[in-house]
């Protein structure tokens, strides 16, 4: 999302007047997704992992089966299926598009979604399509998707200090003076970023040490 957001703002042609609306949309989306995540974790902890149970959750079917005794067969399938589908659609759009935009930026390719596919932006759309194809190949292969998802999240936590560090540096050095953070708001943002970066660095030895 950190890489996706700025390029999406530029690609949509938003002006400074649209910044307040974009900030509200971003804040609402961030809070909503975290509330959903916390609700799912708490629900699983209060049901599936009670009474000393340690079910194996290696597939989406395993997760649905684990909550079946508490929700029923069909509700469990619908709820878990909808959750995974929602996450998959977000990933298919945001992750692949952010990566494709990043590659196009580095290579100097034209990469606007507002333009029709032609020779000037064909390379960008090729990378974008390949991201989906390769993702589908991984999903349809015999890879443990749950373990892969956990590994990706660990990698994300490890890399987050670098990403946030550069983002804060850009805010200080690249943003026009009138758009830079000020006062209490700046200290809050820097403090929260510091906490997140500290947890990311903490994950390095934790993820490497044998369990």
């Amino acid at each position: 999302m950190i890489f996706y957001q700025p390029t999406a703002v530029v690609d949509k042609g938003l002006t400074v007047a649209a910044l307040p609306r974009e900030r509200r949309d971003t804040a609402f989306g961030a809070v909503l997704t975290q509330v959903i995540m916390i609700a799912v974790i708490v629900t699983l902890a209060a049901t599936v992992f009670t009474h000393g149970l340690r079910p194996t959750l290696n597939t989406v079917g395993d997760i649905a089966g684990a909550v079946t005794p508490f929700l029923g067969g069909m509700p469990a399938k619908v709820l878990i299926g909808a959750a995974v589908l929602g996450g998959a659609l977000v990933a298919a759009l945001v992750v692949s598009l952010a990566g494709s935009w990043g590659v196009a930026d580095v290579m100097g390719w034209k990469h606007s979604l507002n333009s029709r596919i032609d020779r000037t932006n064909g390379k960008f759309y090729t990378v974008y399509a390949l991201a989906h194809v390769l993702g589908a190949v991984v999903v349809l292969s015999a890879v443990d998707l749950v373990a892969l998802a956990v590994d990706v999240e660990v990698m994300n936590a490890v890399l987050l200090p670098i990403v946030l560090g550069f983002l804060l540096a850009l805010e200080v050095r690249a943003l026009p003076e009138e758009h830079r953070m000020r006062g209490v708001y700046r200290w809050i943002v820097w403090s929260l970023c510091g906490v997140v970066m500290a947890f990311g660095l903490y994950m390095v030895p934790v993820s490497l040490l044998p369990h």
Side-chain angles (χ1 to χ4, degrees), residues 1-2 4-5 29-30 32-34 36 81-99 101 128 132 153:
M1 287 304 301
I2 292 175
Y4 173 86
Q5 186 83 353
L32 178 63
T33 53
Q34 298 310 303
I36 293 173
V84 174
L85 178 62
L89 290 175
V90 171
L93 293 173
V94 175
V95 177
S96 59
L97 189 54
W101 271 337
Y128 187 35
H132 290 87
E153 290 303 325

Side-chain angles (χ1 to χ4, degrees), residues 52-90:
L53 298 176
R54 293 294 184 270
T56 301
L57 304 178
N58 292 328
T59 66
V60 176
D62 290 341
I63 299 174
V67 298
T68 294
F70 308 96
L71 299 178
M74 186 56 66
K77 293 179 180 178
V78 172
L79 181 62
I80 299 300
V84 174
L85 178 62
L89 290 175
V90 171

Side-chain angles (χ1 to χ4, degrees), residues 141-176:
S141 64
V143 175
D144 186 342
L145 296 180
V146 174
L148 178 62
V150 173
D151 291 340
V152 169
E153 290 303 325
V154 172
M155 181 184 69
N156 179 66
V158 172
L159 294 177
L160 199 54
I162 301 174
V163 176
L164 285 179
F166 277 115
L167 193 65
L168 292 174
L170 284 173
E171 188 272 335
V172 172
R173 300 181 63 87
L175 274 183

Side-chain angles (χ1 to χ4, degrees), residues 96-113:
S96 59
L97 189 54
S100 302
W101 271 337
V103 172
D105 276 332
V106 172
M107 301 302 294
W109 300 338
K110 184 179 178 181
H111 53 81
S112 175
L113 294 176

Side-chain angles (χ1 to χ4, degrees), residues 1 5 9 20-32:
M1 287 304 301
Q5 186 83 353
V9 169
R21 185 179 71 249
E22 281 296 300
R23 288 169 177 162
R24 289 193 298 269
D25 289 346
T26 301
F28 176 78
V31 172
L32 178 63

